[in-house]
């Protein structure tokens, strides 16, 4: 199977990566969720209204992930057509970024945080737009705010976008980023006792280690597959040359 293909297993992998990166999501998006809730006037904090706004926020956030994935994949497609051999380099980059994601999730190395700095230039210009929507009292407002906050600098998302770059097909990349975003939902939407239990489970060293090993295994499988494909290509070229 081509590691850049988006049949069911890679989509499941993207979903699992989102789920396992939940501890990071709690830290970044959990505070936003609380701010959204407390910014709503007390008289309007009915459970159904709050649930609708939280769902709207997350749908907007995931939509931004999908748009970013499609744009990055479009760039990958352009590069593939313009530069010979770039496809292999992009897939190797995607595998390396997944390994960096694993190291971050396991708390073994925080180098991925340095990559987040790449998005701060854009974020400084987008973030004020979100502040103008506060307080959020309607679902459409929540959706727009979520679509803005979806561009917040995040190393985990950048790792997935590197995979999108290697996919180089906008629709497939958008689907993959959507699966990743859906994987983050259980943790982000959990509240109260459920949120604490989920957070404790995800932050447990054993859970983090297992998650990291699974992601590293997936990345190594990608690299092995790419090496196999490259080897077969070399054999094919050698055979054709011998015939000539």
């Amino acid at each position: 199977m081509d590691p850049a293909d988006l049949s069911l297993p890679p989509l499941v992998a993207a979903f699992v990566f989102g789920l396992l990166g939940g501890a990071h999501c709690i830290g970044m998006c959990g505070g936003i969720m609380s701010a959204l809730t407390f910014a709503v006037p007390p008289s309007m904090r009915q459970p159904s209204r709050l649930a609708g706004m939280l769902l709207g926020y997350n749908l907007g956030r995931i939509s931004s992930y999908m748009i970013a994935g499609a744009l990055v994949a479009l760039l990958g497609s352009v590069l593939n057509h313009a530069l010979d051999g770039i496809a292999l380099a992009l897939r190797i980059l995607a595998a390396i970024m997944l390994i960096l994601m694993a190291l971050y999730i396991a708390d073994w190395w925080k180098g991925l945080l340095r990559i987040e700095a790449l998005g701060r230039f854009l974020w400084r210009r987008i973030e004020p737009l979100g502040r103008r929507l506060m307080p959020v009292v309607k679902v459409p407002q929540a959706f727009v705010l979520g679509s803005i906050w979806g561009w917040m600098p995040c190393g985990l998302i950048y790792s997935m976008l590197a995979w999108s770059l290697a996919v180089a097909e906008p629709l497939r990349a958008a689907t993959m980023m959507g699966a990743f975003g859906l994987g983050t939902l259980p943790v982000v939407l959990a509240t109260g006792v459920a949120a604490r239990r989920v957070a404790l489970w995800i932050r447990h060293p054993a859970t983090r280690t297992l998650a990291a090993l699974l992601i590293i295994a997936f990345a190594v499988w990608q690299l092995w597959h790419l090496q196999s494909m490259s080897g077969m290509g070399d054999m094919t070229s050698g055979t054709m040359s011998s015939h000539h």
Side-chain angles (χ1 to χ4, degrees), residues 45-64:
R45 291 182 189 172
Q46 297 88 353
S48 59
R49 180 185 291 270
L50 290 177
M53 288 193 292
L54 292 179
L55 183 60
Y57 167 80
N58 282 284
L59 289 177
R61 176 175 62 88
I62 295 172
S63 296
S64 290

Side-chain angles (χ1 to χ4, degrees), residues 90-235:
L90 293 179
R91 294 184 184 189
I92 292 174
L93 173 64
I96 292 174
M97 289 295 292
L98 288 179
I99 292 174
L100 294 181
M101 178 200 292
L103 296 178
Y104 176 84
I105 288 175
D107 204 19
W108 293 336
W109 188 62
K110 295 292 188 180
L112 200 59
L113 291 176
R114 299 173 187 172
I115 300 176
E116 291 184 359
L118 297 175
R120 289 175 187 164
F121 177 81
L122 175 63
W123 179 241
R124 282 197 296 266
R125 285 154 178 76
I126 295 177
E127 189 266 347
L129 299 177
R131 293 188 181 277
R132 294 176 188 173
L133 294 170
M134 302 291 284
V136 176
V137 294
K138 296 179 180 180
V139 173
Q141 275 183 286
F143 179 87
V144 174
L145 181 62
S147 65
I148 292 172
W149 283 92
W151 296 92
M152 180 188 299
C154 175
L156 297 184
I157 296 174
Y158 293 164
S159 297
M160 297 302 298
L161 288 178
W163 193 2
S164 297
L165 189 66
V167 169
E169 293 185 34
L171 182 58
R172 289 189 171 190
T175 304
M176 181 189 71
M177 293 303 296
F180 171 79
L182 289 175
T184 67
L185 276 182
V187 174
V188 175
L189 289 179
T191 58
V193 175
R196 288 192 293 272
R197 289 179 178 176
V198 171
L200 287 174
W201 177 75
I202 290 179
R203 289 173 177 167
H204 194 282
T207 304
R208 285 175 170 263
T209 299
L210 178 60
L213 293 177
L214 287 174
I215 295 173
I216 290 173
F218 184 81
V220 170
W221 170 78
Q222 284 189 315
L223 292 172
W224 176 83
H225 186 85
L226 292 173
Q227 186 275 333
S228 300
M229 290 175 61
S230 178
M232 290 178 64
D234 293 341
M235 290 177 61

